[in-house]
Amino acid sequence: MEDDAPVIYGLEFQARALTPQTAETDAIRFLVGTQSLKYDNQIHIIDFDDENNIINKNVLLHQAGEIWHISASPADRGVLATCYNRTSDSKVLTCAAVWRMPKELESGSHESPDDSSSTAQTLELLCHLDNTAHGNMACVVWEPMGDGKKIISLADNHILLWDLQESSSQAVLASSASLEGKGQLKFTSGRWSPHHNCTQVATANDTTLRGWDTRSMSQIYCIENAHGQLVRDLDFNPNKQYYLASCGDDCKVKFWDTRNVTEPVKTLEEHSHWVWNVRYNHSHDQLVLTGSSDSRVILSNMVSISSEPFGHLVDDDDISDQEDHRSEEKSKEPLQDNVIATYEEHEDSVYAVDWSSADPWLFASLSYDGRLVINRVPRALKYHILL
């Protein structure tokens, strides 16, 4: 029985890094990275059994340091990248590396080990993304839909494109570019567009959004003062190639058409503190998730700027005559945008939200106190979108 009730898991460590296991499209699976100064850091593999509504977990040791960002290979279920802090000569550096989990944990739907004291397994280091010349790593993004061989890392004011070679045991710097000019030239986040044959990446630094062409590493567009304060995150609409969402410390979520960057297409002002994360649903792009330091997760229905602004398009042949008139009436009027639900299961800043890569109606959110919550899109809305 599918239930709309949230499922909550406590990590017992502070945490801010979350990703679905992108290459796993059958089992519902998330990876969470911890931030502990006292203990060895860990990656928790969270398997959600949606038939029984329970979470199973396995733990991997990440002894390299506290994890600030985690991302999973789109092609290989066992491979992931982390950005983590390490201290060297009393200076703290944020580094990045690519890892492989043990073979037996690669595929989803694992039971938790019976013995709670069962030892955590270790990650195999595949390669470091050498950033000695480039500064602190903010994030690592994989080429979407790719073979898992191309990644981009953002380090201080550098955008670096890497080729992973020799079964990912070597990262070769293929090309790079740098931010130049005045002000705070430090990247905070980036996303790789699934459109344009995966040749475009968008980045955020300070209050500015920029688009880059990965073939020439040149800038394609620039949205200055996209937010009144620091931009925290961005995401591409999976179905509309020019559409991009961003969020930031001005408590706003903004939607952009990169062909005309003078004004946002739409602005959401539902959060009361910094917005850390924005994510489009991979299948139904009107569904947008945001997480904030106001401890709330908000699911919005941005249908007016979605790929189906008039609702689900039905083939004419499917409609009988008597329904014909009614559906025509209905389809002339674009549907209204609204907040679908506000989730209040967290008591601390929500630093990460993300959709499952296996189930389009399910998402996870993570707050700094180590609370992971799994929620579903309300059933009534799900059937409204589908029917």
Side-chain angles (χ1 to χ4, degrees):
M1 166 61 189
E2 188 179 291
D3 182 16
D4 283 346
V7 179
I8 297 175
Y9 167 70
L11 268 85
E12 297 166 26
F13 289 102
Q14 291 178 327
R16 65 195 305 152
L18 167 74
T19 182
Q21 186 184 20
T22 317
E24 174 59 82
T25 51
D26 296 326
I28 296 165
R29 192 170 230 222
F30 292 95
L31 309 175
V32 181
T34 65
Q35 284 209 319
S36 166
L37 291 170
K38 290 203 198 91
Y39 305 99
D40 275 338
N41 281 280
Q42 302 173 345
I43 289 173
H44 289 223
I45 302 175
I46 305 296
D47 284 302
F48 181 59
D49 170 353
D50 60 340
E51 277 176 26
N52 300 304
N53 236 28
I54 52 173
I55 281 174
N56 294 306
K57 63 140 191 186
N58 282 274
V59 176
L60 298 169
L61 282 182
H62 183 280
Q63 286 156 320
E66 47 175 336
I67 301 168
W68 285 86
H69 186 265
I70 185 168
S71 53
S73 163
D76 187 330
R77 291 187 297 201
V79 174
L80 58 126
T82 59
C83 298
Y84 58 89
N85 275 4
R86 74 179 175 87
T87 312
S88 149
D89 307 332
S90 73
K91 275 222 297 269
V92 177
L93 288 172
T94 311
C95 307
V98 180
W99 311 86
R100 179 176 285 289
M101 63 177 72
K103 198 99 193 124
E104 65 272 18
L105 291 181
E106 278 182 18
S107 63
S109 67
H110 276 274
E111 303 266 312
S112 297
D114 294 334
D115 177 7
S116 58
S117 64
S118 68
T119 51
Q121 308 207 43
T122 44
L123 286 161
E124 175 197 350
L125 173 68
L126 292 177
C127 61
H128 286 286
L129 301 183
D130 180 28
N131 63 335
T132 38
H134 302 114
N136 287 309
M137 291 284 186
C139 72
V140 171
V141 289
W142 299 79
E143 179 183 36
M145 288 125 37
D147 55 5
K149 298 280 178 271
K150 275 197 167 63
I151 50 180
I152 274 185
S153 67
L154 301 176
D156 282 353
N157 63 328
H158 302 279
I159 175 169
L160 310 164
L161 174 63
W162 305 86
D163 279 327
L164 295 180
Q165 298 173 359
E166 314 292 332
S167 333
S168 303
S169 63
Q170 195 181 356
V172 177
L173 186 59
S175 55
S176 64
S178 304
L179 286 177
E180 282 152 26
K182 302 191 289 291
Q184 177 65 334
L185 298 175
K186 241 189 196 155
F187 288 115
T188 47
S189 67
R191 295 293 272 183
W192 201 317
S193 169
H195 309 293
H196 314 289
N197 293 331
C198 298
T199 56
Q200 294 190 12
V201 170
T203 60
N205 71 286
D206 200 13
T207 60
T208 302
L209 295 170
R210 291 167 208 271
W212 305 81
D213 186 322
T214 57
R215 296 162 298 188
S216 57
M217 280 311 224
S218 55
Q219 206 167 282
I220 327 165
Y221 53 84
C222 178
I223 310 175
E224 288 188 8
N225 302 313
H227 287 263
Q229 295 175 46
L230 187 71
V231 182
R232 291 280 174 191
D233 195 26
L234 49 125
D235 198 20
F236 283 98
N237 184 314
N239 300 325
K240 293 183 77 170
Q241 58 179 344
Y242 298 107
Y243 274 58
L244 175 71
S246 62
C247 62
D249 286 1
D250 57 2
C251 313
K252 292 176 185 171
V253 182
K254 296 190 182 185
F255 297 87
W256 305 90
D257 180 336
T258 57
R259 294 164 301 185
N260 174 17
V261 296
T262 48
E263 286 290 324
V265 184
K266 205 92 186 174
T267 301
L268 278 181
E269 304 188 37
E270 298 294 336
H271 284 289
S272 57
H273 209 278
W274 305 344
V275 188
W276 283 88
N277 240 183
V278 57
R279 286 289 176 271
Y280 277 104
N281 186 290
H282 312 304
S283 310
H284 308 284
D285 57 281
Q286 66 264 49
L287 300 178
V288 177
L289 266 184
T290 50
S292 160
S293 296
D294 63 11
S295 309
R296 294 185 306 162
V297 174
I298 294 180
L299 175 61
S300 301
N301 192 6
M302 301 306 295
V303 68
S304 72
I305 52 171
S306 74
S307 53
E308 295 189 342
F310 297 96
H312 197 59
L313 301 178
V314 182
D315 195 357
D316 287 345
D317 303 343
D318 300 344
I319 301 175
S320 65
D321 290 341
Q322 73 204 48
E323 286 178 340
D324 219 1
H325 184 65
R326 215 169 31 126
S327 65
E328 264 180 36
E329 285 295 294
K330 190 173 145 237
S331 65
K332 286 195 189 109
E333 209 38 58
L335 298 169
Q336 291 295 303
D337 297 340
N338 61 331
V339 168
I340 296 161
T342 300
Y343 298 91
E344 312 227 352
E345 291 89 18
H346 292 283
E347 295 169 18
D348 204 342
S349 289
V350 178
Y351 282 143
V353 291
D354 226 324
W355 294 96
S356 161
S357 49
D359 180 341
W361 307 105
L362 191 132
F363 58 90
S365 53
L366 175 69
S367 50
Y368 190 52
D369 53 8
R371 182 177 298 181
L372 178 86
V373 180
I374 291 180
N375 264 303
R376 291 185 182 87
V377 174
R379 230 173 329 172
L381 179 81
K382 169 177 165 176
Y383 294 124
H384 181 73
I385 289 174
L386 288 179
L387 297 176

